[in-house]
């Protein structure tokens, strides 16, 4: 049960330097399942004219961000190796935190993940997959939309109240009709009031989730909101004891807050 759709890209808010955003979109078109793309396939993925894509690719090739193989297919370039090492140094979870995610996954039987918000999407920064064959699959670095799913509701609920309404409106618009601002706002308000969110098929039919905001001690308070979420097939999550799951997630959140998060979050 996959939680990603490699053929689509999460809409990004307007603003900034367009050429930079386009160049990053070209790089974002590649992932662990699609490591090589032709110019035509790349242009379709990023939604840019072929001529614009070619200009972007030429610059990225010159800068070492992309490379071209013997068949003319584009791949990640050697310069990204350094960037990857830099990202790992800033975003790798402490061993104790990784172990606690694993323990929470084993205790609940489902995939347990950590998410942060980036623009109008949420990014997986840590996870332990369920040991079941049928499971909720996410990978560190995956970007998912904010318009659906328990983790998304918790992240939106964690934003300052003054900015929350505008953000909800932008997320609803980016959903392209999948959710309305009113419905999304109601779900987020419920997460604010209860301190957790439960979603059954909110983002993907047959997929369910339960999420809470990550509690933080004064010593280990992240500067941006983090969601701790369980995900799994609806048939199992609906049958689970939600209160027991929430107790395990809250226990894990307290332990993770004490053991620490990636350096980039502080």
């Amino acid at each position: 049960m996959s939680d990603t759709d490699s053929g689509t890209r999460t809409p990004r808010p307007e603003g900034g330097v367009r050429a930079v955003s386009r160049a990053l979109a070209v790089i974002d078109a590649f992932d662990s399942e699609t490591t090589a793309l032709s110019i035509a396939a790349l242009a379709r993925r990023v939604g840019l004219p072929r001529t614009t894509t070619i200009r972007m690719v030429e610059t990225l090739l010159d800068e070492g961000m992309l490379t071209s193989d013997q068949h003319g297919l584009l791949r990640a370039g050697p310069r990204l190796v350094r960037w990857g090492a830099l990202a790992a140094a800033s975003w790798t979870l402490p061993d104790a935190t990784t172990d606690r995610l694993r323990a929470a996954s084993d205790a609940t039987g489902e995939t347990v993940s950590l998410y942060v918000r980036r623009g109008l999407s949420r990014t997986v920064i840590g996870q332990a997959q369920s040991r079941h064959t049928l499971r909720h699959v996410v990978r560190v670095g995956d970007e998912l939309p904010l318009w659906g799913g328990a983790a998304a509701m918790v992240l939106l609920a964690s934003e300052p109240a003054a900015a929350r309404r505008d953000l909800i409106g932008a997320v609803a618009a980016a959903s392209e009709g999948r959710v309305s601002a009113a419905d999304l706002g109601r779900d987020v308000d419920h997460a604010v009031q209860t301190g957790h969110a439960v979603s059954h098929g909110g983002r993907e039919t047959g997929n369910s989730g339960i999420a809470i905001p990550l509690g933080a001690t004064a010593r280990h308070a992240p500067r941006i909101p983090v969601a701790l979420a369980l995900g799994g097939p609806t048939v199992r999550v609906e049958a689970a004891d939600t209160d027991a799951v929430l107790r395990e997630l809250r226990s894990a959140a307290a332990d993770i807050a004490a053991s620490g998060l990636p350096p980039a979050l502080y």
Side-chain angles (χ1 to χ4, degrees):
M1 176 177 290
S2 174
D3 200 42
T4 62
D5 179 359
S6 60
T8 61
R9 297 290 148 196
T10 302
R12 285 166 169 58
E14 294 297 324
V17 180
R18 186 172 66 166
V20 174
S21 295
R22 285 179 165 181
L24 292 174
V26 168
I27 296 172
D28 275 348
F30 298 86
D31 55 39
S32 59
E33 294 181 352
T34 308
T35 60
L37 288 167
S38 66
I39 285 285
L42 182 59
R44 288 194 298 271
R45 280 202 159 209
V46 299
L48 293 174
R50 182 184 175 90
T51 53
T52 302
T53 304
I54 290 173
R55 289 198 302 271
M56 289 288 172
V57 165
E58 288 174 346
T59 300
L60 292 171
L61 286 169
D62 288 343
E63 294 292 337
M65 302 299 288
L66 294 178
T67 188
S68 179
D69 67 18
Q70 59 182 344
H71 304 294
L73 294 177
L74 299 166
R75 298 178 182 272
R79 192 170 181 180
L80 286 176
V81 175
R82 176 179 177 275
W83 285 27
L86 175 62
S90 297
W91 286 96
T92 298
L93 294 175
D95 290 343
T97 296
T98 299
D99 291 344
R100 190 60 182 90
L101 288 176
R102 178 76 266 157
S105 176
D106 289 344
T108 60
E110 304 300 346
T111 297
V112 177
S113 308
L114 290 170
Y115 293 88
V116 296
R117 180 174 78 87
R118 188 176 79 84
L120 302 183
S121 65
R122 50 189 167 112
T123 302
V124 184
I125 62 168
Q127 59 94 233
Q129 286 193 12
S130 167
R131 299 190 191 276
H132 291 291
T133 302
L134 179 63
R135 62 183 182 267
H136 174 86
V137 178
V138 292
R139 296 174 296 270
V140 173
D142 282 348
E143 287 193 351
L144 307 174
L146 274 178
W147 48 258
M153 300 306 104
V154 165
L155 288 174
L156 289 170
S158 298
E159 292 295 324
R164 195 181 302 141
R165 289 299 134 192
D166 287 344
L167 179 58
I168 287 171
V171 170
S175 78
E176 298 180 340
R178 294 179 180 88
V179 297
S180 68
D183 288 343
L184 184 58
R186 183 170 58 250
D187 290 342
V188 173
D189 286 344
H190 185 265
V192 171
Q193 294 163 8
T194 64
H196 71 272
V198 178
S199 173
H200 297 299
R203 195 197 62 79
E204 182 180 30
T205 301
N207 204 17
S208 293
I210 301 173
I212 64 170
L214 187 71
T217 64
R219 181 181 176 186
H220 294 287
R223 59 184 170 81
I224 60 176
V226 180
L228 176 64
L230 170 149
T234 297
V235 64
R236 284 205 307 264
V237 176
E238 282 188 328
D241 183 339
T242 301
D243 290 337
V245 169
L246 286 170
R247 284 194 297 272
E248 175 60 25
L249 289 179
R250 287 170 182 145
S251 173
D255 291 340
I256 290 169
S259 59
L261 291 164
L265 293 180
Y266 296 106

